[in-house]
Amino acid sequence: MRARFGDWWRRLERGHELLFVARWRQGLRREARRQDDTLRALLLLESLGVDNPVAYETLDVVPYLVADFHAWHQRMGRDEFGDAGVCC
C-alpha cells in the first residue's frame, strides 16, 4: 500500500512538473538572470564609488528590511545578531 502511494505521488509530482513548471522554466530563469545582473551592476557601481541611484527612494523600505532581517536570523537559529543596538 505504501509503495503504491509512493509511486502515485511520484507520478503526480512528475505531472505537476510537466504541466506547471516546465513550460515556465525558461522565463523564470531569464527573470532570475536579469535580477542577478541588476544586483551585480549595482554592487559594482557602488564598489567603484558611484552612488546608488535609488538609495533615496528605498529609504522608506528600511524598517521592513530590518523586521525581515530579524525574522531571518531567528529562523537561522540565532536569537541575537550583531552588536548591541545594531539589530536585537
Side-chain angles (χ1 to χ4, degrees):
M1 174 83 175
R2 190 172 189 150
R4 285 181 34 198
F5 179 74
D7 292 339
W8 175 81
W9 186 257
R10 279 189 283 283
R11 282 188 307 214
L12 181 66
E13 284 181 328
R14 179 70 179 143
H16 177 270
E17 172 82 17
L18 291 173
L19 186 62
F20 294 108
V21 178
R23 69 178 2 172
W24 305 108
R25 184 172 288 132
Q26 183 179 3
L28 292 171
R29 284 183 181 155
R30 185 173 39 248
E31 179 63 21
R33 221 176 10 252
R34 186 189 66 78
Q35 290 178 4
D36 287 346
D37 291 345
T38 302
L39 178 63
R40 279 191 200 97
L42 286 173
L43 291 174
L44 174 64
L45 289 173
E46 200 166 317
S47 69
L48 292 175
V50 178
D51 290 335
N52 185 349
V54 293
Y56 179 76
E57 287 80 7
T58 58
L59 283 177
D60 54 344
V61 181
V62 170
Y64 300 106
L65 292 174
V66 170
D68 185 54
F69 182 75
H70 180 67
W72 172 78
H73 80 73
Q74 285 185 331
R75 278 194 314 269
M76 295 298 116
R78 295 191 66 178
D79 293 332
E80 295 183 8
F81 192 87
D83 295 331
V86 174
C87 183
C88 300

